[in-house]
Amino acid sequence: MKLVVGQGSCGIAAGASKVYDALASEIAGNDNMTMGITGCIGMCYLEPIVDVYNNDNALLVRLVKVKPEDAHNIVSSLETMQLEDLEPLMISDSDKGFLKKQTRIVLRHCGIIDPTSIDEYKATDGFLALDKAVNHMTCDEVIEEIKVSGLGGRGGAGFPTWFKWNAARSSEGDDKYLICNADEGDPGAFMDRAVIESDPFSLIEGMLIGAYAIGAKNCFVYVRAEYPLAIERLSNALKVAQENGYLGDNILGSSFSCHIEIKAGAGAFVCGEETALIASLEGERGMPRLKPPFPAQKGYMEKPSNINNVETFANVAWIINNGGAKFAEMGTENSKGTKVFALSGKIVRGGLVEITMGKTLREVIFDIGGGIRDGMQFKAVQMGGPSGGCIPESLLDTRIDYKELSATGAIMGSGGMVVMDSSTCMINMAKFFLDFTSKESCGKCVPCRLGTKRMLEILTRITEGAGKEGDVELLEELCNFIKDDALCGLGQTAPNPVLTTIRYFRDEYDAHIRDKRCPSMQCPNLITYTIKKDSCVGCHICARNCPVNAIEGEIKQPHVVRQDICIRCGSCYQRCKLGAIERS
């Protein structure tokens, strides 16, 4: 019997390392039980997770939200096979549906195998695709298989992967480079991190197949330095792969040689743009360059280069093993295969989701994600991070397809899906993303450097109660200017959160500007706290907790909030147990 503890970042943050140590201590000296680790299976909301496998390597039971103090009960129950004693820890039938409603290609090994074990990866057909490609297919045949699959780049734009590979292969020169963009900078996105932490060998295999196809002998993984666990596991996987002949010179006895190096980025969002990433790799400041020339013609060190993200490469081995046509059977006419999303925000089941293209937003958020937490109402979902837009409830039946999502004003993006409920102020949400993009702007072009700051100033003014007529029109004018004239994708898409909130939530802008009121009660300057005389018993709790002494009144007499002093912190509202204080 084997006890496997999920050890992705989410699991470790929830206490999985302590759970592992407690279980290991409990089974010490027990020859019938062993310990193991795995990565993130995607059910981040249930971590720490412990999977128990029988001697035939079949899943016996999945335990969730495990604590170190549960270790003794777990081990003793397993020793006597009294599994009913573990029922409080067992995953519910409802939560089992989280995985059953998904189609997993990129995440096929995540949460299943040990990410540090090449033997476990090989046992799941690992490196068979690499052997097939380098020993039984020409470079053109590999590219053709990717073309048949219809695989689009999963970094956001969905650009045909085969086209980029073919362009790099067709470029003149013997020195070519293949680069993996693992600079995952979108707030709310953690897909690439989870794949590297949980299945690093699949990334390596996909990159090697891509390098073989374009004729590259050197590869880079540009990964965020804020991902230490991902870097550690990828470093280990590269070392082990080279020791086993899957990396380095004459791979698998072929004439193909290739080396992969990790480059840790300093966390600049703009380095997610491919030319800025290349500049950073070269030791320069991460700033975008004008295109053309494209990286396929003149990229790293001015040599032909190909850049794809982690999720794109993680699809490659599956496609080579199963055929491009099988991949193309999934999805829609415009968007083939599957897509991984990071579900976060006000959702019941937050975590990683992989679904076939063509499912609706409603299916992902409600059927898989379990809907909105705490009985609140759905309001919007932010797709595509700072470069994306907010999609309202009326468009929940939009299919997950590059073209259809683009029509809403949002984008697929790398896969961040931030769910918002009725308590969310959409202007505050737009301000949050504008604050992010204005700070992350490299400053190279005026539209992005100054335009995002001017938009942020207007949004800030509106949320502080100083909005004025014409602000919305001015925002729209600035948005269109920046979209048309910014140098790179960061600037060109920065206005999307603002444009979509204006498009779908114009009434909230009007309420802030004309009525000086925040319908969601999230903008402090637009909230008024008053005490209902009929309900106030003069307990004085609110007055004692007011940080600025804005509440006056005698004991056992109705109190009054002095509006000229009140800083609208909400302390009185939170402390009053009688509901005598109201917000408006």
Side-chain angles (χ1 to χ4, degrees), residues 288-314:
R289 302 169 181 172
L290 285 171
K291 295 184 286 190
F294 294 95
Q297 286 79 45
K298 187 178 287 189
Y300 178 71
M301 295 302 179
E302 299 194 347
K303 303 295 184 181
S305 305
N306 177 84
I307 301 180
N308 290 113
N309 82 327
V310 174
E311 186 180 343
T312 308
F313 285 122

PDB file of all heavy atoms in Angstrom, residues 288-314:
ATOM      1  N   PRO A 288      10.097  45.388 -25.449  1.00  0.00           N
ATOM      2  CA  PRO A 288       9.719  44.821 -26.753  1.00  0.00           C
ATOM      3  C   PRO A 288      10.407  45.513 -27.913  1.00  0.00           C
ATOM      4  O   PRO A 288      10.841  46.663 -27.808  1.00  0.00           O
ATOM      5  CB  PRO A 288       8.198  45.047 -26.797  1.00  0.00           C
ATOM      6  CG  PRO A 288       7.959  46.202 -25.892  1.00  0.00           C
ATOM      7  CD  PRO A 288       8.979  46.087 -24.801  1.00  0.00           C
ATOM      8  N   ARG A 289      10.507  44.776 -29.003  1.00  0.00           N
ATOM      9  CA  ARG A 289      11.113  45.308 -30.221  1.00  0.00           C
ATOM     10  C   ARG A 289      10.068  45.345 -31.320  1.00  0.00           C
ATOM     11  O   ARG A 289       9.090  44.592 -31.304  1.00  0.00           O
ATOM     12  CB  ARG A 289      12.281  44.413 -30.650  1.00  0.00           C
ATOM     13  CG  ARG A 289      13.360  44.260 -29.596  1.00  0.00           C
ATOM     14  CD  ARG A 289      14.350  43.154 -29.960  1.00  0.00           C
ATOM     15  NE  ARG A 289      15.380  42.996 -28.934  1.00  0.00           N
ATOM     16  CZ  ARG A 289      16.281  42.023 -28.912  1.00  0.00           C
ATOM     17  NH1 ARG A 289      16.277  41.095 -29.869  1.00  0.00           N
ATOM     18  NH2 ARG A 289      17.180  41.956 -27.957  1.00  0.00           N
ATOM     19  N   LEU A 290      10.287  46.205 -32.269  1.00  0.00           N
ATOM     20  CA  LEU A 290       9.368  46.289 -33.406  1.00  0.00           C
ATOM     21  C   LEU A 290       9.441  45.021 -34.241  1.00  0.00           C
ATOM     22  O   LEU A 290      10.514  44.433 -34.425  1.00  0.00           O
ATOM     23  CB  LEU A 290       9.720  47.498 -34.273  1.00  0.00           C
ATOM     24  CG  LEU A 290       9.330  48.878 -33.717  1.00  0.00           C
ATOM     25  CD1 LEU A 290       9.935  49.980 -34.582  1.00  0.00           C
ATOM     26  CD2 LEU A 290       7.817  49.029 -33.666  1.00  0.00           C
ATOM     27  N   LYS A 291       8.298  44.582 -34.741  1.00  0.00           N
ATOM     28  CA  LYS A 291       8.234  43.425 -35.638  1.00  0.00           C
ATOM     29  C   LYS A 291       7.553  43.861 -36.924  1.00  0.00           C
ATOM     30  O   LYS A 291       6.564  44.610 -36.856  1.00  0.00           O
ATOM     31  CB  LYS A 291       7.454  42.282 -34.972  1.00  0.00           C
ATOM     32  CG  LYS A 291       8.122  41.700 -33.738  1.00  0.00           C
ATOM     33  CD  LYS A 291       7.369  40.512 -33.156  1.00  0.00           C
ATOM     34  CE  LYS A 291       6.110  40.940 -32.443  1.00  0.00           C
ATOM     35  NZ  LYS A 291       5.487  39.821 -31.675  1.00  0.00           N
ATOM     36  N   PRO A 292       8.016  43.379 -38.103  1.00  0.00           N
ATOM     37  CA  PRO A 292       9.160  42.498 -38.329  1.00  0.00           C
ATOM     38  C   PRO A 292      10.492  43.211 -38.063  1.00  0.00           C
ATOM     39  O   PRO A 292      10.502  44.418 -37.963  1.00  0.00           O
ATOM     40  CB  PRO A 292       8.998  42.109 -39.806  1.00  0.00           C
ATOM     41  CG  PRO A 292       8.235  43.245 -40.415  1.00  0.00           C
ATOM     42  CD  PRO A 292       7.350  43.778 -39.346  1.00  0.00           C
ATOM     43  N   PRO A 293      11.621  42.414 -38.010  1.00  0.00           N
ATOM     44  CA  PRO A 293      11.674  40.963 -38.198  1.00  0.00           C
ATOM     45  C   PRO A 293      11.071  40.222 -37.000  1.00  0.00           C
ATOM     46  O   PRO A 293      11.160  40.686 -35.871  1.00  0.00           O
ATOM     47  CB  PRO A 293      13.163  40.676 -38.339  1.00  0.00           C
ATOM     48  CG  PRO A 293      13.820  41.764 -37.540  1.00  0.00           C
ATOM     49  CD  PRO A 293      12.967  42.978 -37.750  1.00  0.00           C
ATOM     50  N   PHE A 294      10.473  39.076 -37.285  1.00  0.00           N
ATOM     51  CA  PHE A 294       9.910  38.236 -36.248  1.00  0.00           C
ATOM     52  C   PHE A 294      10.998  37.336 -35.675  1.00  0.00           C
ATOM     53  O   PHE A 294      12.018  37.086 -36.336  1.00  0.00           O
ATOM     54  CB  PHE A 294       8.762  37.398 -36.827  1.00  0.00           C
ATOM     55  CG  PHE A 294       7.595  38.225 -37.258  1.00  0.00           C
ATOM     56  CD1 PHE A 294       7.459  38.627 -38.588  1.00  0.00           C
ATOM     57  CD2 PHE A 294       6.627  38.609 -36.333  1.00  0.00           C
ATOM     58  CE1 PHE A 294       6.377  39.394 -38.988  1.00  0.00           C
ATOM     59  CE2 PHE A 294       5.539  39.380 -36.722  1.00  0.00           C
ATOM     60  CZ  PHE A 294       5.411  39.778 -38.052  1.00  0.00           C
ATOM     61  N   PRO A 295      10.794  36.815 -34.450  1.00  0.00           N
ATOM     62  CA  PRO A 295      11.812  35.944 -33.859  1.00  0.00           C
ATOM     63  C   PRO A 295      12.207  34.766 -34.739  1.00  0.00           C
ATOM     64  O   PRO A 295      13.350  34.308 -34.678  1.00  0.00           O
ATOM     65  CB  PRO A 295      11.146  35.469 -32.561  1.00  0.00           C
ATOM     66  CG  PRO A 295      10.229  36.591 -32.196  1.00  0.00           C
ATOM     67  CD  PRO A 295       9.691  37.100 -33.516  1.00  0.00           C
ATOM     68  N   ALA A 296      11.270  34.265 -35.547  1.00  0.00           N
ATOM     69  CA  ALA A 296      11.589  33.128 -36.418  1.00  0.00           C
ATOM     70  C   ALA A 296      12.685  33.483 -37.419  1.00  0.00           C
ATOM     71  O   ALA A 296      13.418  32.601 -37.885  1.00  0.00           O
ATOM     72  CB  ALA A 296      10.338  32.661 -37.166  1.00  0.00           C
ATOM     73  N   GLN A 297      12.797  34.773 -37.739  1.00  0.00           N
ATOM     74  CA  GLN A 297      13.865  35.208 -38.650  1.00  0.00           C
ATOM     75  C   GLN A 297      15.080  35.743 -37.882  1.00  0.00           C
ATOM     76  O   GLN A 297      16.223  35.448 -38.215  1.00  0.00           O
ATOM     77  CB  GLN A 297      13.363  36.307 -39.600  1.00  0.00           C
ATOM     78  CG  GLN A 297      12.443  35.826 -40.706  1.00  0.00           C
ATOM     79  CD  GLN A 297      11.034  35.606 -40.220  1.00  0.00           C
ATOM     80  OE1 GLN A 297      10.483  36.431 -39.490  1.00  0.00           O
ATOM     81  NE2 GLN A 297      10.424  34.493 -40.614  1.00  0.00           N
ATOM     82  N   LYS A 298      14.807  36.544 -36.849  1.00  0.00           N
ATOM     83  CA  LYS A 298      15.896  37.150 -36.093  1.00  0.00           C
ATOM     84  C   LYS A 298      15.442  37.262 -34.640  1.00  0.00           C
ATOM     85  O   LYS A 298      14.746  38.204 -34.257  1.00  0.00           O
ATOM     86  CB  LYS A 298      16.250  38.521 -36.659  1.00  0.00           C
ATOM     87  CG  LYS A 298      17.493  39.148 -36.042  1.00  0.00           C
ATOM     88  CD  LYS A 298      17.813  40.495 -36.674  1.00  0.00           C
ATOM     89  CE  LYS A 298      18.366  40.332 -38.073  1.00  0.00           C
ATOM     90  NZ  LYS A 298      18.885  41.626 -38.618  1.00  0.00           N
ATOM     91  N   GLY A 299      15.827  36.285 -33.839  1.00  0.00           N
ATOM     92  CA  GLY A 299      15.392  36.243 -32.451  1.00  0.00           C
ATOM     93  C   GLY A 299      16.543  36.348 -31.491  1.00  0.00           C
ATOM     94  O   GLY A 299      17.274  37.337 -31.488  1.00  0.00           O
ATOM     95  N   TYR A 300      16.743  35.302 -30.667  1.00  0.00           N
ATOM     96  CA  TYR A 300      17.809  35.319 -29.672  1.00  0.00           C
ATOM     97  C   TYR A 300      19.168  35.411 -30.361  1.00  0.00           C
ATOM     98  O   TYR A 300      19.477  34.641 -31.264  1.00  0.00           O
ATOM     99  CB  TYR A 300      17.730  34.040 -28.823  1.00  0.00           C
ATOM    100  CG  TYR A 300      18.818  33.915 -27.784  1.00  0.00           C
ATOM    101  CD1 TYR A 300      18.833  34.738 -26.662  1.00  0.00           C
ATOM    102  CD2 TYR A 300      19.837  32.972 -27.928  1.00  0.00           C
ATOM    103  CE1 TYR A 300      19.827  34.626 -25.707  1.00  0.00           C
ATOM    104  CE2 TYR A 300      20.827  32.846 -26.975  1.00  0.00           C
ATOM    105  CZ  TYR A 300      20.832  33.686 -25.866  1.00  0.00           C
ATOM    106  OH  TYR A 300      21.822  33.569 -24.928  1.00  0.00           O
ATOM    107  N   MET A 301      19.959  36.376 -29.944  1.00  0.00           N
ATOM    108  CA  MET A 301      21.277  36.651 -30.536  1.00  0.00           C
ATOM    109  C   MET A 301      21.182  36.825 -32.049  1.00  0.00           C
ATOM    110  O   MET A 301      22.100  36.482 -32.794  1.00  0.00           O
ATOM    111  CB  MET A 301      22.275  35.533 -30.180  1.00  0.00           C
ATOM    112  CG  MET A 301      22.575  35.441 -28.695  1.00  0.00           C
ATOM    113  SD  MET A 301      23.238  36.987 -28.037  1.00  0.00           S
ATOM    114  CE  MET A 301      23.456  36.566 -26.300  1.00  0.00           C
ATOM    115  N   GLU A 302      20.011  37.342 -32.470  1.00  0.00           N
ATOM    116  CA  GLU A 302      19.717  37.609 -33.880  1.00  0.00           C
ATOM    117  C   GLU A 302      19.720  36.346 -34.738  1.00  0.00           C
ATOM    118  O   GLU A 302      19.884  36.405 -35.963  1.00  0.00           O
ATOM    119  CB  GLU A 302      20.686  38.654 -34.445  1.00  0.00           C
ATOM    120  CG  GLU A 302      20.594  40.004 -33.739  1.00  0.00           C
ATOM    121  CD  GLU A 302      21.279  41.120 -34.486  1.00  0.00           C
ATOM    122  OE1 GLU A 302      22.042  40.830 -35.440  1.00  0.00           O
ATOM    123  OE2 GLU A 302      21.048  42.285 -34.124  1.00  0.00           O
ATOM    124  N   LYS A 303      19.493  35.214 -34.076  1.00  0.00           N
ATOM    125  CA  LYS A 303      19.397  33.936 -34.772  1.00  0.00           C
ATOM    126  C   LYS A 303      17.925  33.506 -34.822  1.00  0.00           C
ATOM    127  O   LYS A 303      17.123  33.902 -33.980  1.00  0.00           O
ATOM    128  CB  LYS A 303      20.219  32.863 -34.044  1.00  0.00           C
ATOM    129  CG  LYS A 303      21.697  33.205 -33.873  1.00  0.00           C
ATOM    130  CD  LYS A 303      22.416  33.281 -35.202  1.00  0.00           C
ATOM    131  CE  LYS A 303      23.916  33.531 -34.986  1.00  0.00           C
ATOM    132  NZ  LYS A 303      24.640  33.624 -36.288  1.00  0.00           N
ATOM    133  N   PRO A 304      17.553  32.686 -35.803  1.00  0.00           N
ATOM    134  CA  PRO A 304      16.163  32.198 -35.872  1.00  0.00           C
ATOM    135  C   PRO A 304      15.762  31.506 -34.574  1.00  0.00           C
ATOM    136  O   PRO A 304      16.479  30.637 -34.069  1.00  0.00           O
ATOM    137  CB  PRO A 304      16.202  31.209 -37.044  1.00  0.00           C
ATOM    138  CG  PRO A 304      17.342  31.678 -37.897  1.00  0.00           C
ATOM    139  CD  PRO A 304      18.365  32.193 -36.940  1.00  0.00           C
ATOM    140  N   SER A 305      14.620  31.898 -34.041  1.00  0.00           N
ATOM    141  CA  SER A 305      14.178  31.381 -32.733  1.00  0.00           C
ATOM    142  C   SER A 305      12.681  31.120 -32.754  1.00  0.00           C
ATOM    143  O   SER A 305      11.918  31.801 -33.437  1.00  0.00           O
ATOM    144  CB  SER A 305      14.504  32.383 -31.617  1.00  0.00           C
ATOM    145  OG  SER A 305      15.876  32.728 -31.614  1.00  0.00           O
ATOM    146  N   ASN A 306      12.281  30.132 -31.972  1.00  0.00           N
ATOM    147  CA  ASN A 306      10.850  29.836 -31.821  1.00  0.00           C
ATOM    148  C   ASN A 306      10.492  29.919 -30.346  1.00  0.00           C
ATOM    149  O   ASN A 306      11.206  29.404 -29.492  1.00  0.00           O
ATOM    150  CB  ASN A 306      10.528  28.437 -32.339  1.00  0.00           C
ATOM    151  CG  ASN A 306       9.064  28.093 -32.132  1.00  0.00           C
ATOM    152  OD1 ASN A 306       8.207  28.444 -32.928  1.00  0.00           O
ATOM    153  ND2 ASN A 306       8.765  27.423 -31.024  1.00  0.00           N
ATOM    154  N   ILE A 307       9.354  30.575 -30.065  1.00  0.00           N
ATOM    155  CA  ILE A 307       8.898  30.706 -28.684  1.00  0.00           C
ATOM    156  C   ILE A 307       7.469  30.179 -28.572  1.00  0.00           C
ATOM    157  O   ILE A 307       6.585  30.582 -29.323  1.00  0.00           O
ATOM    158  CB  ILE A 307       8.932  32.174 -28.206  1.00  0.00           C
ATOM    159  CG1 ILE A 307      10.353  32.736 -28.295  1.00  0.00           C
ATOM    160  CG2 ILE A 307       8.427  32.284 -26.773  1.00  0.00           C
ATOM    161  CD1 ILE A 307      10.471  34.181 -27.838  1.00  0.00           C
ATOM    162  N   ASN A 308       7.268  29.256 -27.632  1.00  0.00           N
ATOM    163  CA  ASN A 308       5.924  28.806 -27.245  1.00  0.00           C
ATOM    164  C   ASN A 308       5.880  28.737 -25.729  1.00  0.00           C
ATOM    165  O   ASN A 308       6.919  28.700 -25.076  1.00  0.00           O
ATOM    166  CB  ASN A 308       5.594  27.432 -27.830  1.00  0.00           C
ATOM    167  CG  ASN A 308       5.399  27.454 -29.331  1.00  0.00           C
ATOM    168  OD1 ASN A 308       6.188  26.879 -30.078  1.00  0.00           O
ATOM    169  ND2 ASN A 308       4.348  28.115 -29.783  1.00  0.00           N
ATOM    170  N   ASN A 309       4.679  28.668 -25.173  1.00  0.00           N
ATOM    171  CA  ASN A 309       4.598  28.603 -23.715  1.00  0.00           C
ATOM    172  C   ASN A 309       4.537  27.160 -23.226  1.00  0.00           C
ATOM    173  O   ASN A 309       4.513  26.208 -24.015  1.00  0.00           O
ATOM    174  CB  ASN A 309       3.429  29.444 -23.190  1.00  0.00           C
ATOM    175  CG  ASN A 309       2.105  28.716 -23.270  1.00  0.00           C
ATOM    176  OD1 ASN A 309       1.868  27.914 -24.180  1.00  0.00           O
ATOM    177  ND2 ASN A 309       1.224  28.985 -22.324  1.00  0.00           N
ATOM    178  N   VAL A 310       4.504  26.984 -21.912  1.00  0.00           N
ATOM    179  CA  VAL A 310       4.561  25.661 -21.294  1.00  0.00           C
ATOM    180  C   VAL A 310       3.415  24.773 -21.764  1.00  0.00           C
ATOM    181  O   VAL A 310       3.624  23.616 -22.153  1.00  0.00           O
ATOM    182  CB  VAL A 310       4.523  25.793 -19.747  1.00  0.00           C
ATOM    183  CG1 VAL A 310       4.424  24.410 -19.094  1.00  0.00           C
ATOM    184  CG2 VAL A 310       5.746  26.529 -19.244  1.00  0.00           C
ATOM    185  N   GLU A 311       2.200  25.304 -21.724  1.00  0.00           N
ATOM    186  CA  GLU A 311       1.037  24.496 -22.081  1.00  0.00           C
ATOM    187  C   GLU A 311       1.103  24.008 -23.524  1.00  0.00           C
ATOM    188  O   GLU A 311       0.721  22.880 -23.824  1.00  0.00           O
ATOM    189  CB  GLU A 311      -0.247  25.294 -21.851  1.00  0.00           C
ATOM    190  CG  GLU A 311      -1.508  24.467 -22.075  1.00  0.00           C
ATOM    191  CD  GLU A 311      -2.786  25.265 -21.855  1.00  0.00           C
ATOM    192  OE1 GLU A 311      -2.733  26.338 -21.229  1.00  0.00           O
ATOM    193  OE2 GLU A 311      -3.846  24.809 -22.324  1.00  0.00           O
ATOM    194  N   THR A 312       1.604  24.849 -24.413  1.00  0.00           N
ATOM    195  CA  THR A 312       1.730  24.448 -25.819  1.00  0.00           C
ATOM    196  C   THR A 312       2.647  23.237 -25.945  1.00  0.00           C
ATOM    197  O   THR A 312       2.303  22.234 -26.586  1.00  0.00           O
ATOM    198  CB  THR A 312       2.284  25.613 -26.658  1.00  0.00           C
ATOM    199  OG1 THR A 312       1.503  26.786 -26.435  1.00  0.00           O
ATOM    200  CG2 THR A 312       2.258  25.262 -28.139  1.00  0.00           C
ATOM    201  N   PHE A 313       3.823  23.320 -25.338  1.00  0.00           N
ATOM    202  CA  PHE A 313       4.777  22.209 -25.418  1.00  0.00           C
ATOM    203  C   PHE A 313       4.256  20.948 -24.727  1.00  0.00           C
ATOM    204  O   PHE A 313       4.558  19.830 -25.145  1.00  0.00           O
ATOM    205  CB  PHE A 313       6.123  22.619 -24.802  1.00  0.00           C
ATOM    206  CG  PHE A 313       6.930  23.546 -25.670  1.00  0.00           C
ATOM    207  CD1 PHE A 313       7.332  24.785 -25.203  1.00  0.00           C
ATOM    208  CD2 PHE A 313       7.285  23.182 -26.958  1.00  0.00           C
ATOM    209  CE1 PHE A 313       8.087  25.641 -25.998  1.00  0.00           C
ATOM    210  CE2 PHE A 313       8.037  24.026 -27.770  1.00  0.00           C
ATOM    211  CZ  PHE A 313       8.441  25.271 -27.282  1.00  0.00           C
ATOM    212  N   ALA A 314       3.460  21.128 -23.674  1.00  0.00           N
ATOM    213  CA  ALA A 314       2.947  19.969 -22.937  1.00  0.00           C
ATOM    214  C   ALA A 314       1.942  19.158 -23.753  1.00  0.00           C
ATOM    215  O   ALA A 314       1.640  18.016 -23.409  1.00  0.00           O
ATOM    216  CB  ALA A 314       2.316  20.427 -21.625  1.00  0.00           C
TER     217      ALA A 314
END
